[in-house]
């Protein structure tokens, strides 16, 4: 057992240090998803209880993420024979960029049963870790639930601390409920090998799906999220145990060298002072000031470079000649990295001379205004110290964004040969199927960051577009329903004569929900049902494309109809954002527009007279 443990440790250490380059793949003849292409000279040992418990512990720590190298060569001590394993490289959970990664060699025996058992365990541990992580985060953001956790014990939710300290507060009945739920999850499904539950499918189709490919995609995403959550919850436990607080208490770190810089220029919400590389660990104010000065310069250069990429794409090139002597027009200089080879030597001389002027025209030694970024150009800075600090902080933030942007542009340009990439190169993209569809509008073009259209299905695209059109129409009506009464007032007369309810009695916004009588809700639902069933909305019909025959919104002319529907889609998208904002404002303040009287500390108060 000792020698086996030493071998496992040595194997893990070697894999961590040497990576994939430490292994040699032997030529193999593969058949399907090969489980083992040759037999190892030493017999396979059965899976011991110690091994099983080790796997469970490592999974909780986020370490036993099964995923080895695709083809590993194993040298046996008996015959010094190379054996290649390609057993699990296409299994669920093997994800880019690491691929199949198993530095501890848990899958070296090629056993599909052991692999499936460990994968099932990893999936469960990931789900528990995701719940635990959210259990840490949610109370910090939303606060505790109202009311009592245990009325009999007089224990309120607000009395239960966040994190590890909660363990001592939960009553015995609470632990019983938790254990009962865990037992229910374990015994309510048949989880034996080969069943859907063994692969993580408990029939809850929000997490999985009926379609095998969709289910596989969702489970793979869940595995990845679970791995992240296992790492996160261990970090939270460590932080909590170390500091006594779920998030650590910054007040405890009184001796930290970071204290020296937490109020310096460039320390901005929500991150605060952030130095993961530890550049300020020495506490040197001189080094900090020098780095901050350098960051400000790099940000300014990056902002100029970013604008140099963007401006010619929007406004075009300057007229005339860049170099009359060389016969070089501005229009002849390409945008992006390709311009480097076109700018004449005199042009580079001018660029370098300007850079040198910026450097030597001001005294930038420590403590001078220029060292803090103030070159006397009061459009960027200001005479007032507070206004100058605000402007320089904004400039630092913009410069940081520009540094990220220009690196992205360089990468895109170097990869595709075009400053913005050349869409013509992406001929095999599934997005090609939809780039000319209704709703694809400038300046964004076809935009699908969630990848809903990645399968290239025109049916799914049409169904989602139809749904978007409906949601947009409902949101436009809802938005106008919020706005109109605020501007024009309520209708005269009664909403419900039988109930004696006047229109004027119905409040604006969410509060109206409790005032509308049952007959009113019936009318609303009946109208919605009429809109749904009065037209054939199956694929390919005019109604499926949003044309219900009401020619004020659409038109008989195909081009005019397309223009009107495109405008309606854009307005509907805006309305969906607007109505959500109104709901949030209403729910937060109790008023459809918020109550200006509540905002006593607003800087706008200074200008209201």
């Amino acid at each position: 057992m000792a020698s086996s443990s030493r071998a496992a440790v040595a194997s893990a250490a070697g894999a961590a240090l040497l990576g994939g380059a430490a292994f040699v793949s032997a030529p193999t003849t593969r058949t399907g998803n090969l489980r083992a292409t040759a037999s190892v000279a030493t017999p396979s040992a059965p899976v011991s209880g110690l091994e099983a418990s080790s796997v469970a512990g490592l999974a909780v720590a986020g370490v036993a993420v099964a995923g080895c190298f695709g083809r590993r060569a194993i040298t046996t001590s008996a015959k010094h024979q190379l054996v290649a394993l390609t057993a699990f490289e296409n299994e669920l959970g093997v994800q880019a960029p690491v691929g199949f990664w198993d530095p501890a060699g848990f899958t070296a025996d090629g056993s599909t049963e052991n692999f499936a058992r460990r994968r099932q365990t990893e999936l469960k541990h990931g789900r528990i870790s995701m719940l635990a992580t959210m259990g840490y985060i949610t109370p910090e953001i939303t606060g505790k639930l109202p009311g009592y956790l245990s009325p009999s014990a007089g224990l309120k939710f607000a009395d239960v601390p966040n994190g590890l300290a909660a363990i001592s507060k939960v009553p015995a009945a609470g632990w019983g409920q938790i254990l009962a739920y865990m037992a229910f999850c374990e015994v309510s499904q048949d989880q034996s090998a080969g069943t859907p539950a063994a692969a993580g499918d408990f029939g809850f189709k929000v997490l999985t799906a009926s379609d095998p490919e969709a289910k596989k995609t969702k489970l793979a995403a869940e595995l990845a999220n679970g791995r992240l959550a296992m790492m996160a919850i261990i970090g939270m436990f460590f932080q909590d145990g170390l500091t006594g607080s779920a998030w650590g208490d910054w007040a405890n770190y009184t001796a930290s060298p970071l204290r020296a810089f937490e109020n310096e220029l460039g320390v901005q919400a929500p991150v605060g002072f952030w130095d993961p590389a530890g550049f300020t660990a020495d506490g040197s104010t001189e080094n900090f000031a020098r780095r901050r000065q350098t960051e400000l310069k790099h940000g300014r250069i990056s902002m100029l470079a970013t604008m140099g990429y963007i401006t010619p794409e929007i406004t075009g090139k300057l007229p005339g000649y860049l170099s009359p002597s060389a016969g070089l027009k501005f229009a002849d200089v390409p945008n992006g990295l390709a311009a480097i080879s076109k700018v004449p030597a005199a042009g580079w001389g001018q660029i370098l001379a300007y850079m040198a002027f910026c450097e030597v025209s001001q005294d930038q030694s420590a403590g001078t205004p220029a060292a803090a970024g103030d070159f006397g150009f009061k459009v960027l800075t200001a005479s007032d110290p507070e206004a100058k600090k605000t402007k320089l902080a904004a400039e630092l933030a913009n410069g940081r964004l520009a540094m990220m942007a220009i690196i992205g542009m360089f990468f895109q340009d170097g990869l595709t040969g075009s400053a913005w990439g050349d869409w013509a190169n992406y001929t095999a993209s599934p997005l090609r199927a939809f780039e000319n569809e209704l709703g694809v509008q400038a300046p964004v073009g076809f935009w699908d960051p969630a990848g809903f259209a990645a399968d290239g299905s025109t049916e799914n695209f049409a169904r989602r577009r139809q749904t978007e059109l409906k949601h947009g129409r409902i949101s436009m009506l809802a938005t106008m329903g919020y706005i109109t009464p605020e501007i024009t007032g309520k209708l005269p007369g009664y909403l419900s004569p039988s109930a004696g309810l006047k229109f004027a009695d119905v409040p604006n916004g969410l509060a109206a929900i409790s005032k509308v009588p049952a007959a009113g809700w019936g009318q609303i639902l009946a109208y919605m049902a009429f809109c749904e069933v009065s037209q054939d909305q199956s694929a390919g019909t005019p109604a499926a494309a949003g044309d219900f025959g009401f020619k004020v919104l659409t038109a008989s002319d195909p081009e005019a109809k397309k223009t009107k529907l495109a405008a309606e889609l854009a307005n509907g998208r805006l309305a969906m954002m607007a109505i959500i904002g109104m709901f949030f404002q209403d729910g937060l303040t109790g008023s459809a527009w918020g109550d200006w009287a509540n905002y006593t500390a607003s800087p706008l108060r200074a200008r209201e007279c």
Side-chain angles (χ1 to χ4, degrees):
M1 177 64 74
S3 62
S4 173
S5 299
R6 285 193 296 271
V9 171
S11 173
L17 291 172
L18 301 179
F23 302 101
V24 180
S25 294
T28 60
T29 303
R30 298 178 60 188
T31 304
N33 190 16
L34 193 61
R35 295 302 173 192
T37 59
S39 59
V40 183
T42 55
S44 298
V47 180
S48 66
L50 177 59
E51 181 200 3
S53 62
S54 299
V55 171
L58 286 171
V60 173
V63 176
V65 178
C68 193
F69 33 84
R71 296 175 182 170
R72 175 184 173 185
I74 303 173
T75 305
T76 65
S77 58
K79 296 185 178 180
H80 304 286
Q81 171 186 6
L82 290 179
V83 179
L85 295 179
T86 58
F88 309 113
E89 59 185 3
N90 295 315
E91 290 291 336
L92 180 70
V94 179
Q95 298 172 355
V98 176
F100 187 64
W101 190 70
D102 178 23
F106 288 123
T107 59
D109 58 1
S111 169
T112 55
E113 292 78 8
N114 289 341
F115 179 86
R117 177 177 54 79
R118 292 189 184 104
R119 179 73 0 117
Q120 180 185 10
T121 302
E122 181 190 15
L123 196 57
K124 289 181 182 178
H125 288 172
R127 286 171 175 171
I128 292 170
S129 297
M130 284 189 280
L131 289 171
T133 303
M134 292 306 298
Y136 257 88
I137 294 171
T138 305
E140 296 285 343
I141 298 173
T142 64
K144 307 292 176 63
L145 292 171
Y148 286 86
L149 171 63
S150 175
S152 60
L155 181 66
K156 295 181 179 180
F157 286 101
D159 298 333
V160 180
N162 196 10
L164 295 177
I167 294 174
S168 63
K169 293 287 187 178
V170 179
W175 288 114
Q177 292 170 20
I178 293 169
L179 293 173
Y181 176 69
M182 293 167 62
F184 170 77
C185 292
E186 285 296 305
V187 302
S188 63
Q189 300 271 341
D190 177 11
Q191 300 182 48
S192 56
T195 60
D201 183 0
F202 280 72
F204 187 48
K205 299 305 179 187
V206 175
L207 287 180
T208 61
S210 300
D211 178 63
E213 283 304 311
K215 181 170 73 174
K216 185 176 180 181
T217 301
K218 285 190 174 184
L219 286 174
E222 187 186 16
L223 266 171
N225 292 338
R227 290 164 180 169
L228 178 61
M230 285 188 274
M231 299 299 293
I233 197 64
I234 289 297
M236 289 175 177
F237 285 160
F238 182 80
Q239 177 87 315
D240 195 350
L242 185 66
T243 68
S245 170
W247 303 104
D249 187 351
W250 178 235
N252 294 336
Y253 299 97
T254 53
S256 172
L258 305 184
R259 287 285 184 188
F261 310 114
E262 59 184 0
N263 295 314
E264 289 290 333
L265 180 70
V267 179
Q268 298 172 353
V271 176
F273 186 73
W274 191 69
D275 178 25
F279 289 124
T280 59
D282 57 2
S284 168
T285 55
E286 292 79 8
N287 290 342
F288 178 86
R290 176 176 55 79
R291 293 190 182 102
R292 179 74 0 118
Q293 179 185 8
T294 303
E295 181 188 18
L296 195 57
K297 289 181 183 178
H298 288 172
R300 286 171 175 171
I301 292 170
S302 296
M303 286 188 279
L304 289 171
T306 302
M307 292 306 298
Y309 256 90
I310 294 171
T311 306
E313 296 285 343
I314 299 172
T315 63
K317 307 292 175 62
L318 292 171
Y321 286 87
L322 170 63
S323 175
S325 59
L328 181 66
K329 295 181 179 180
F330 286 103
D332 298 332
V333 180
N335 195 10
L337 296 177
I340 294 174
S341 63
K342 293 288 186 177
V343 178
W348 288 113
Q350 292 170 24
I351 293 170
L352 293 173
Y354 177 69
M355 293 167 63
F357 170 77
C358 292
E359 285 296 305
V360 302
S361 63
Q362 300 271 342
D363 177 10
Q364 299 183 49
S365 56
T368 60
D374 183 1
F375 280 72
F377 186 49
K378 300 305 179 187
V379 175
L380 287 181
T381 62
S383 301
D384 178 63
E386 282 303 312
K388 180 172 74 174
K389 185 176 180 180
T390 301
K391 284 190 173 184
L392 286 173
E395 187 187 20
L396 266 171
N398 292 339
R400 290 164 179 169
L401 177 62
M403 285 188 274
M404 298 299 292
I406 196 64
I407 290 296
M409 289 175 177
F410 285 160
F411 182 80
Q412 177 87 315
D413 196 350
L415 185 65
T416 67
S418 171
W420 303 104
D422 188 350
W423 181 234
N425 294 337
Y426 300 96
T427 53
S429 172
L431 306 183
R432 285 285 183 187
F434 311 115
E435 62 185 349
N436 296 314
E437 289 290 333
L438 180 70
V440 178
Q441 299 171 356
V444 176
F446 185 73
W447 191 69
D448 178 25
F452 288 124
D455 59 1
S457 169
T458 54
E459 292 79 7
N460 290 341
F461 179 86
R463 176 176 54 78
R464 292 190 183 102
R465 178 74 359 116
Q466 180 185 8
T467 302
E468 181 188 20
L469 197 56
K470 288 181 182 178
H471 289 173
R473 286 172 175 171
I474 292 171
S475 297
M476 285 189 281
L477 289 171
T479 303
M480 292 305 299
Y482 256 89
I483 295 171
T484 305
E486 297 284 343
I487 298 173
T488 64
K490 307 292 176 62
L491 292 171
Y494 286 87
L495 171 63
S496 175
S498 61
L501 182 67
K502 294 181 178 180
F503 285 103
D505 298 333
V506 180
N508 196 11
L510 296 176
I513 294 174
S514 62
K515 293 287 188 178
V516 178
W521 288 113
Q523 292 170 21
I524 293 170
L525 293 173
Y527 177 68
M528 292 168 63
F530 170 76
C531 292
E532 284 296 306
V533 302
S534 62
Q535 300 271 341
D536 177 11
Q537 300 182 48
S538 57
T541 60
D547 183 0
F548 281 73
F550 186 49
K551 300 306 178 187
V552 175
L553 288 180
T554 62
S556 300
D557 178 63
E559 283 304 311
K561 181 172 73 174
K562 186 176 180 180
T563 301
K564 284 189 174 184
L565 286 173
E568 187 186 19
L569 266 172
N571 293 338
R573 290 164 179 168
L574 177 62
M576 285 188 274
M577 299 299 293
I579 196 64
I580 290 296
M582 289 175 177
F583 285 160
F584 182 80
Q585 177 87 313
D586 195 350
L588 186 66
T589 68
S591 170
W593 303 104
D595 187 350
W596 178 236
N598 295 336
Y599 299 96
T600 53
S602 171
L604 304 181
R605 287 285 184 191
R607 304 179 186 275
E608 63 184 354
C609 295

